[in-house]
Amino acid sequence: MERLTTTNLLPDTFYGTRDDITEQFGIMWGQIKAPLIVPLLRISVFVCLAMSVMLFIERVYMFVVITWLKIFGRKPEKRYKWESLKDDVELGNSSYPMVLVQIPMYNEKEVYQLSIGAACGLSWPSDRIIVQVLDDSTDPITKNLVEIECQRWASKGINIKYEVRDNRNGYKAGALKEGLKHSYVKQCDFVAIFDADFQPEPDFLWHTIPFLVHNPELSLVQARWKYVNADECLMTRMQEMSLDYHFSVEQEVGSSTYTFFGFNGTAGVWRIAAIDEAGGWKDRTTVEDMDLAVRASLKGWKFLFLGCIKVKNELPSTLKAYRYQQHRWSCGPANLFRKMCMEIVRNKKVSLWKKVHVIYSFFFVRKVVAHIVTFVFYVVILPATVLVPEVEVPKWGAVYIPVIITLLNAAGTPRSLHLLVFWILFENVMSLHRTKATFIGLLEVGRVNEWIVTEKLGDALKLKSATKAFRKHRMRLGDRIHLLEFAAGAYLFFCGCYDIAFGTNHYFLYLFIQAFAFFIVGFGYVGTFMPTNS
């Protein structure tokens, strides 16, 4: 029997039709390319280059400032009055300020004991501290466990309050706002806030409260985060690189030059009077911490960042949890920028220099431009120039500026410099998610007010087994595929193939590697990479 071939099975008319479609597509592309595609792409390249220059200048400026601070800058104890608080024979413990410690939580079954135990272990005079657990849990089992834990510490003589609400209105902001309404809070001067996975050292208050006591212009003292699971997997190492830059550079520069930075929502101590003057907690965005910080700053209050004080906490170790967190962290600031821009412009209590810093540097460049330019330029526009060789991107914009920005960002975590390539690829992939969230916030549509609590897996000793169990649960294909990342990877792969076939810009190696990174995340495998302890 003769072998059947494609030629035998398909009629000649099929090939004629296929060739006709290809030819027609080529003619259409040629007709719209010169008058429409090329001008639009050139405008897009110009806009992206302008945003890259903005980001470049911002990064270089902060590098210069942080270098100056490291060499010549004064420590916080030199810039602000600081004296350790001492016992008063006549007044006794009443000479110490009353401190409220708030722990907001929501179904935190894995970590509630860690945070409550750390808060109850703070070495402050026992009659001058109140630990307030704000439990919004909807799981009755978790709720019961948290209440029992509070009762256990109360039986040891700890002044701990277990507070619940009938609803979750306002999410974390609503819980913190309700917590401050209780009658016993009126006697408190300061409030320390810790999320459910944060574990302050026993002497945390002794290092932070004196700054607030001796400097009435200070409203906030923010501590740095220390990650108990940074070595869990490659994804947590890359998160550490991004967050280390945020704390060691952005927060430090903001604290030292403008006395303003965004409150991180946890591991900080507020002056309650400043919260009240700023209008209290508001739930109009998903970044209630940043909202409060901006409003307090507009009232003239100053902030202090203490990079030497570190509070242990947990990084998201699954891609699903990290994506939800990044959506909130990208959408919220963009939405707050939309709501507060004109309010900042009209404010008369702060200097023009500080207004420019908050609007341009803090919001526009860091919270909008940084996300958009990373995705639009390096994932969309640059690959598109392969398809349209008439549009050229100067080498300084395509290579030199991003290389310098990347090195400046990575300098905050020297131990992870060998992971720089992985970090670049992962950040480019996540820029898709962040850009989408940024536009949602700016336009105030869709998931603008979505609040999903970042999942925690418990202390570092139990982390590996818990993570493995969770990943086994996520092996279903429908839970793993992320279509947007997969589509972006397909686009980059197509551009790479086109580059090889026609030899236009010679970006094919970058395009293929970046496409592979998008596919990895698109299929949800990034969270399964093994630890990198070197």
Side-chain angles (χ1 to χ4, degrees):
M1 183 177 180
E2 293 184 1
R3 296 178 61 187
L4 294 176
T5 64
T6 306
T7 306
N8 299 131
L9 293 174
L10 298 176
D12 293 338
T13 54
F14 173 81
Y15 297 101
T17 303
R18 185 186 64 181
D19 293 339
D20 289 341
I21 293 174
T22 304
E23 185 177 352
Q24 290 176 7
F25 179 79
I27 294 172
M28 291 176 58
W29 174 250
Q31 290 176 341
I32 66 173
K33 182 179 178 181
L36 182 62
I37 302 299
V38 172
L40 286 178
L41 194 55
R42 281 178 177 159
I43 293 173
S44 300
V45 168
F46 175 79
V47 173
C48 287
L49 287 175
M51 290 193 292
S52 295
V53 171
M54 290 180 190
L55 189 60
F56 172 75
I57 293 173
E58 174 74 6
R59 292 292 189 265
V60 171
Y61 166 72
M62 286 196 288
F63 172 75
V64 171
V65 173
I66 202 67
T67 302
W68 184 89
L69 290 173
K70 295 295 183 184
I71 299 175
F72 304 106
R74 294 182 300 167
K75 294 183 178 180
E77 294 82 359
K78 300 294 183 180
R79 289 187 287 120
Y80 292 96
K81 183 179 179 181
W82 191 93
E83 293 179 3
S84 60
L85 302 179
K86 300 178 181 178
D87 293 335
D88 189 297
V89 177
E90 295 182 358
L91 298 176
N93 286 344
S94 61
S95 62
Y96 293 95
M98 196 74 179
V99 180
L100 175 70
V101 179
Q102 288 186 316
I103 309 175
M105 57 177 59
Y106 173 74
N107 294 336
E108 309 284 3
K109 187 176 181 180
E110 293 79 8
V111 294
Y112 73 93
Q113 288 181 311
L114 295 175
S115 57
I116 294 176
C120 293
L122 290 169
S123 60
W124 195 253
S126 59
D127 59 338
R128 306 301 291 172
I129 185 172
I130 302 174
V131 177
Q132 186 185 66
V133 178
L134 304 169
D135 190 12
D136 274 357
S137 299
T138 53
D139 176 26
I141 297 177
T142 302
K143 209 165 191 173
N144 185 53
L145 289 173
V146 174
E147 186 174 10
I148 292 174
E149 183 70 8
C150 292
Q151 292 173 352
R152 186 174 73 85
W153 282 103
S155 66
K156 295 182 178 182
I158 301 297
N159 189 0
I160 185 170
K161 308 290 185 181
Y162 176 72
E163 306 291 356
V164 296
R165 299 188 293 162
D166 296 331
N167 54 68
R168 287 193 69 213
N169 293 342
Y171 302 109
K172 180 181 175 181
L176 294 171
K177 185 176 182 179
E178 288 296 316
L180 292 178
K181 290 181 179 180
H182 293 281
S183 58
Y184 56 82
V185 176
K186 294 179 181 179
Q187 60 184 312
C188 298
D189 304 294
F190 309 108
V191 54
I193 302 171
F194 301 102
D195 282 350
D197 60 315
F198 278 72
Q199 306 164 57
E201 296 297 328
D203 60 353
F204 176 85
L205 296 178
W206 293 106
H207 289 293
T208 54
I209 294 294
F211 281 106
L212 294 165
V213 170
H214 298 304
N215 302 275
E217 73 276 18
L218 282 179
S219 64
L220 166 67
V221 175
Q222 171 74 61
R224 185 170 174 168
W225 298 0
K226 180 181 179 181
Y227 323 108
V228 298
N229 64 328
D231 292 326
E232 170 63 17
C233 62
L234 186 60
M235 189 178 71
T236 54
R237 284 290 287 272
M238 291 184 289
Q239 289 179 64
E240 181 191 37
M241 293 177 72
S242 299
L243 287 170
D244 276 350
Y245 178 83
H246 167 70
F247 283 108
S248 61
V249 179
E250 291 180 343
Q251 299 292 75
E252 192 68 65
V253 170
S255 175
S256 302
T257 58
Y258 310 98
T259 64
F260 168 78
F261 50 84
F263 174 45
N264 295 116
T266 179
V269 186
W270 275 92
R271 188 185 302 273
I272 294 180
I275 296 178
D276 294 337
E277 186 181 348
W281 294 100
K282 293 186 178 181
D283 59 359
R284 55 181 174 174
T285 69
T286 56
V287 283
E288 74 294 322
D289 44 12
M290 187 182 295
D291 188 346
L292 177 61
V294 174
R295 285 184 283 113
S297 178
L298 295 180
K299 293 293 183 179
W301 290 98
K302 295 181 179 180
F303 307 155
L304 174 64
F305 174 71
L306 293 178
C308 57
I309 307 300
K310 300 179 181 181
V311 181
K312 293 186 291 185
N313 71 295
E314 180 183 322
L315 293 167
S317 55
T318 64
L319 181 60
K320 181 179 180 181
Y322 185 58
R323 280 165 58 90
Y324 280 131
Q325 182 200 70
Q326 292 303 296
H327 173 85
R328 189 172 75 249
W329 286 6
S330 303
C331 178
N335 190 230
L336 183 62
F337 179 47
R338 169 194 171 108
K339 293 179 183 296
M340 291 205 68
C341 185
M342 293 311 299
E343 182 180 343
I344 297 170
V345 171
R346 291 191 295 263
N347 185 273
K348 297 180 180 180
K349 287 192 175 182
V350 298
S351 65
L352 177 63
W353 179 242
K354 193 168 186 177
K355 289 181 184 179
V356 171
H357 166 68
V358 175
I359 293 176
Y360 174 77
S361 179
F362 180 77
F363 273 118
F364 185 65
V365 176
R366 297 186 208 171
K367 310 302 181 184
V368 178
V369 167
H371 300 323
I372 293 176
V373 72
T374 303
F375 174 70
V376 174
F377 191 32
Y378 301 111
V379 181
V380 178
I381 301 301
L382 196 61
T385 60
V386 170
L387 307 177
V388 187
E390 294 89 342
V391 179
E392 295 184 0
V393 179
K395 186 172 289 186
W396 61 264
V399 179
Y400 301 146
I401 281 183
V403 167
I404 294 173
I405 290 175
T406 299
L407 291 175
L408 292 178
N409 284 351
T413 314
R415 80 185 190 101
S416 296
L417 285 177
H418 62 292
L419 301 174
L420 193 58
V421 173
F422 295 102
W423 181 74
I424 295 170
L425 296 174
F426 183 66
E427 284 293 294
N428 285 352
V429 174
M430 291 308 301
S431 69
L432 165 60
H433 199 59
R434 293 173 184 142
T435 299
K436 181 180 71 171
T438 299
F439 279 114
I440 289 174
L442 288 174
L443 300 176
E444 206 165 25
V445 296
R447 298 164 54 197
V448 65
N449 289 318
E450 180 185 66
W451 181 283
I452 297 179
V453 176
T454 304
E455 184 173 9
K456 293 111 184 162
L457 300 176
D459 61 65
L461 296 177
K462 300 177 182 178
L463 195 57
K464 286 189 177 182
S465 60
T467 304
K468 290 178 180 178
F470 182 74
R471 286 169 185 156
K472 288 180 180 179
H473 175 70
R474 292 185 70 251
M475 286 303 290
R476 291 176 299 176
L477 189 62
D479 289 341
R480 298 182 67 94
I481 290 183
H482 306 294
L483 294 179
L484 283 178
E485 283 85 347
F486 189 79
Y491 165 71
L492 290 165
F493 185 78
F494 170 77
C495 292
C497 293
Y498 189 93
D499 199 12
I500 286 181
F502 298 97
T504 52
N505 290 329
H506 308 292
Y507 292 149
F508 62 88
L509 184 60
Y510 159 76
L511 295 171
F512 284 141
I513 294 174
Q514 189 64 71
F516 179 71
F518 268 97
F519 288 142
I520 288 290
V521 177
F523 282 116
Y525 284 108
V526 68
T528 63
F529 289 170
M530 295 302 292
T532 53
N533 296 315
S534 58

